């Protein structure tokens, strides 16, 4: 895949459109945070298209991109799973939400103390974040996001967790310096699986 301003804008628009459809078909209010995730991630990719056009400028776009990618997602994903599932599954998800909150606090502190930079590296963007304890924060991030999907007890969410987890490993192996950007792009595209999840919920397949 070749990432560029045009690719991010097109992919973001497509994913956001899927998010609109997901939200429109939600039958249960607690399902809204997860159903709206493609809408957020689509907007996220469109924000990155702005960064592509001026990596050394566009400070507000870089910051907005980093806030969504870093402190927001490790809280939003496990929270969405927690709200969507029923007891006793919530007891498995709650510790992962706590991990996400702690990770988000560390990431937020890092973003507040250091400016976010961006650099074009071939057909990818590399973000400079200056995060102390980055390996631990990344581990907490992936545990909260991927882990909450895997323990959800929902067949579609579990599959989404497997796909996103494998995608994260591939992005880390192939694009180490651009891991955050490439993984977020991958996660945005595969989040269209949430439309499948919403339709599954409409059919009455709700985990207990």
């Amino acid at each position: 895949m070749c990432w560029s301003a045009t690719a991010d804008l097109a992919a973001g628009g497509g994913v956001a459109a899927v998010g609109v459809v997901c939200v429109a078909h939600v039958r249960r209010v607690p399902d809204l945070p997860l159903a709206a995730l493609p809408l957020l991630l689509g907007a996220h990719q469109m924000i990155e298209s702005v960064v592509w056009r001026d990596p050394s400028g566009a400070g507000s776009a870089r910051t907005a991109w980093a806030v969504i990618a870093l402190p927001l997602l490790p809280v939003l994903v496990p929270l969405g799973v927690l709200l969507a599932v029923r007891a006793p599954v919530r007891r498995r998800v709650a510790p992962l939400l706590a991990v996400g909150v702690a990770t988000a606090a560390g990431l937020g502190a890092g973003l507040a103390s250091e400016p976010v930079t961006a650099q074009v590296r071939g057909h990818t963007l590399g973000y400079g974040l200056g995060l102390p304890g980055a390996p631990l924060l990344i581990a907490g991030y992936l545990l909260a996001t991927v882990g909450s999907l895997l323990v959800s007890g929902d067949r579609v969410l579990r599959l989404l967790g497997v796909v996103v987890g494998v995608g994260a490993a591939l992005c880390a192996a192939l694009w180490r310096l651009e891991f955050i950007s490439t993984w977020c792009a991958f996660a945005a595209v595969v989040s269209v699986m949430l439309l499948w999840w919403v339709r599954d919920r409409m059919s009455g397949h709700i985990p207990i």
Side-chain angles (χ1 to χ4, degrees), residues 49-146:
S49 72
V50 178
V51 179
W52 265 106
R53 292 185 175 92
D54 187 12
S56 61
S60 58
R62 292 198 310 270
T63 300
W65 187 93
V67 168
I68 295 172
L70 296 173
L72 183 57
L73 287 182
V75 174
L76 181 59
V77 174
L79 177 61
V81 173
L82 184 73
L83 293 174
V85 301
R86 295 177 178 173
V89 181
R90 288 177 183 169
R91 290 197 290 270
R92 301 201 298 262
V93 180
L96 298 175
L97 175 58
V99 171
V101 170
T103 300
L107 292 169
L111 291 179
S113 62
E114 295 285 343
V116 179
T117 62
Q119 180 182 3
V120 175
R121 297 192 180 109
H123 294 297
T124 59
L125 279 176
Y127 289 88
L129 303 167
L131 297 173
L136 182 61
L137 291 174
I138 291 173
Y141 185 106
L142 294 175
L143 181 61
T145 53
V146 177

Side-chain angles (χ1 to χ4, degrees), residues 123-194:
H123 294 297
T124 59
L125 279 176
Y127 289 88
L129 303 167
L131 297 173
L136 182 61
L137 291 174
I138 291 173
Y141 185 106
L142 294 175
L143 181 61
T145 53
V146 177
S148 61
L149 294 169
L150 292 176
V151 305
S152 66
D154 182 284
R155 58 175 185 165
V156 180
L157 294 183
R158 283 200 303 263
L159 179 59
L160 178 60
V162 171
V163 172
V164 172
V166 170
L170 288 175
C171 289
L174 297 176
W175 298 287
R176 183 177 61 84
L177 296 177
E178 302 84 17
F179 168 71
I180 296 175
S181 178
T182 53
W183 184 77
C184 284
F186 176 81
V189 173
V190 301
S191 72
V192 299
M193 289 177 63
L194 288 171

